[in-house]
Structure formats: structure tokens, C-alpha cells
Amino acid sequence: MFTSNIGRLRFFLYSLGLAVAETVVIVICIVSTIGFEGLLNSGPGPARQSMAGAVLIASLIFVALRGNIASRRTRDANGRRWILWAYIALSAVYALLQAGVLLVVKFGDPESIPGGLNLLGFSVFGLWCTIWWAKPVAGSNIDELTDVFDFDGPLPASTRAARAAVPAAPRAAVGASAALIPPAPQPFGRPRPAGFGKRGI
């Protein structure tokens, strides 16, 4: 399940499902630690460390899950590996900075949110679109087919013997049946003309 190739539609649906699940988990982390009221009323610093740590761990788990489906999508579309690794690395950096922003942000002060986080988010989204829109490989993976069916390798001896025995059996059966049927008797002299009666009328 976690190693099979996935197409565009499944990659989009998996990514959407992971985004929704990550949002829910982050909300649960905030509520279970200091709560939204505590987050709004608390200042940056040690009071938010438990919340930021829980959010960071949850985000890194989802980075690993998104990296898995991105790897499967890249393999399905025969995409470039550096795009995949850049997507995973930038996603991990984004998760780290996101937890850091929750740790130091001052609500009511827009300047406390670093503008580079939005730029990094756009970069991650652009790499995601590149992986998603990659053209799938036509048909099945030829390497997997040759590994399973061994098209290029020689046939086993048992298979060759079986293939050679299949046409030989019908020939032997035809020869034996021909030997059992006696030939039709041949008449002596000239053949009699066809007709009615003795005079051929």
C-alpha cells in the first residue's frame, strides 16, 4: 500500500486528506496544551514551548507521509529526484518555521509574522504542483514486467520440453490413426461409365 505507484487523482486526494488531517491534529495539539485562549493571551516565550513542540512533532510526521506519496507519484511519472527531495526538505523547513512562528508570534502585530514563511509556502506549493502535474509513464513499468516474466532471459528446460512436446503429440496421434485405417480397394480394369442400366442410358 505504501510502496505502489499513484496517479494524479490519487496524489491530489491523498494530499488533500493529509492537509485536512494535519490541520485537525495541529488544532488538537493547541487545545490539549495551552488552548486557544491561552495562545491568544500568552506572550512569546516558555509558556508556549509545549504547544510548539507538539505542533512540530505532528508536522514532521505529516511531512514524512507527504514525502511518501510524493515519492510514489514521482516513481509513477518517472519524475526528477531532485524535485522530490527539494519538496521534502522545504516541507520540513516549513514545519520547523511554522512551529517557531507559533512560539514567538504576537497576536495583533502582523509584523511579528516573518514574510519569508509565505514565500517558502509558495515554493513548497510550486514543487507540489510540479510533482502532481508530471506526465505519467504510458503503460506499466517495463522493469517490473521483465523482472516478473523474464522476457529477455532463456526459457527453463522444463518449459522448452513442454513446448516441444505439445506439437509432437498431435503428429503422433495423426500418424497412428492413419496406420489403423486400411486403404480403399482399387478396382481391376477400366472403370465402368456412370449411367442408368446396363447400357448407360
Side-chain angles (χ1 to χ4, degrees):
M1 176 181 179
F2 293 101
T3 58
S4 61
N5 295 348
I6 58 176
R8 289 176 179 171
L9 180 59
R10 289 176 62 190
F11 178 70
F12 176 80
L13 294 178
Y14 286 174
S15 299
L16 181 61
L18 287 177
V20 173
E22 184 178 9
T23 303
V24 172
V25 170
I26 289 177
V27 169
I28 292 174
C29 289
I30 295 174
V31 171
S32 61
T33 52
I34 63 174
F36 282 104
E37 185 177 355
L39 178 62
L40 293 174
N41 297 328
S42 64
R48 300 181 183 178
Q49 287 181 354
S50 59
M51 179 267 301
V55 170
L56 177 60
I57 293 173
S59 298
L60 290 178
I61 291 174
F62 280 96
V63 167
L65 294 176
R66 286 197 298 268
N68 177 264
I69 63 172
S71 174
R72 292 159 61 187
R73 173 67 190 138
T74 302
R75 185 171 61 246
D76 177 63
N78 197 20
R80 298 182 179 181
R81 305 296 295 180
W82 71 266
I83 296 179
L84 170 65
W85 290 114
Y87 171 73
I88 295 174
L90 291 182
S91 297
V93 173
Y94 185 86
L96 180 63
L97 293 180
Q98 182 183 31
V101 167
L102 289 176
L103 183 64
V104 301
V105 66
K106 296 179 181 179
F107 292 96
D109 184 10
E111 294 182 358
S112 62
I113 300 177
L117 187 64
N118 296 328
L119 181 61
L120 181 60
F122 281 121
S123 301
V124 173
F125 180 71
L127 291 172
W128 180 88
C129 291
T130 303
I131 296 172
W132 171 57
W133 195 250
K135 185 178 180 181
V137 177
S140 301
N141 190 350
I142 190 63
D143 294 331
E144 294 180 359
L145 290 177
T146 53
D147 289 343
V148 174
F149 295 104
D150 194 15
F151 289 135
D152 298 331
L155 291 174
S158 58
T159 307
R160 289 198 303 269
R163 288 189 178 182
V166 169
R171 287 199 301 267
V174 171
S177 60
L180 294 178
I181 300 175
Q186 299 294 328
F188 296 100
R190 293 185 306 170
R192 290 165 46 177
F196 297 96
K198 295 182 180 180
R199 297 191 182 186
I201 298 175

